[in-house]
Amino acid sequence: MAGQLDPIWVPSATDIALARLTPFAEFATRKYGYRGSSYLGLWQWSVANEAQALNPQAKSPPKISTTITSPGAAL
């Protein structure tokens, strides 16, 4: 296909099985019916389904803390 590039590296089945992203893709498939087969597809799904992707137990999007603390700071 014109304009399509061949990847310079493709992960092996072992690499995919050991990837930290694989359990997330399996969770999205099992719980939410995600049916993609690529990193791009999983990324697009997670953006479109942000609340479920970040916190599957939440009923609304999670609150993100913007507080910055240093390791030695007293709370």
Side-chain angles (χ1 to χ4, degrees):
M1 181 182 290
Q4 190 172 8
L5 301 175
D6 291 328
I8 58 172
W9 175 77
V10 177
S12 68
T14 301
D15 291 335
I16 293 169
L18 296 174
R20 294 179 65 192
L21 195 58
T22 300
F24 176 68
E26 291 168 350
F27 162 79
T29 298
R30 187 175 56 256
K31 182 140 182 164
Y32 297 105
Y34 166 72
R35 296 287 180 240
S37 61
S38 69
Y39 174 81
L40 178 60
L42 183 60
W43 176 78
Q44 289 171 331
W45 176 87
S46 68
V47 170
N49 298 279
E50 180 180 3
Q52 294 88 0
L54 294 178
N55 186 354
Q57 305 305 319
K59 298 204 184 296
S60 61
K63 294 180 182 176
I64 298 173
S65 173
T66 57
T67 304
I68 299 173
T69 60
S70 64
L75 298 176

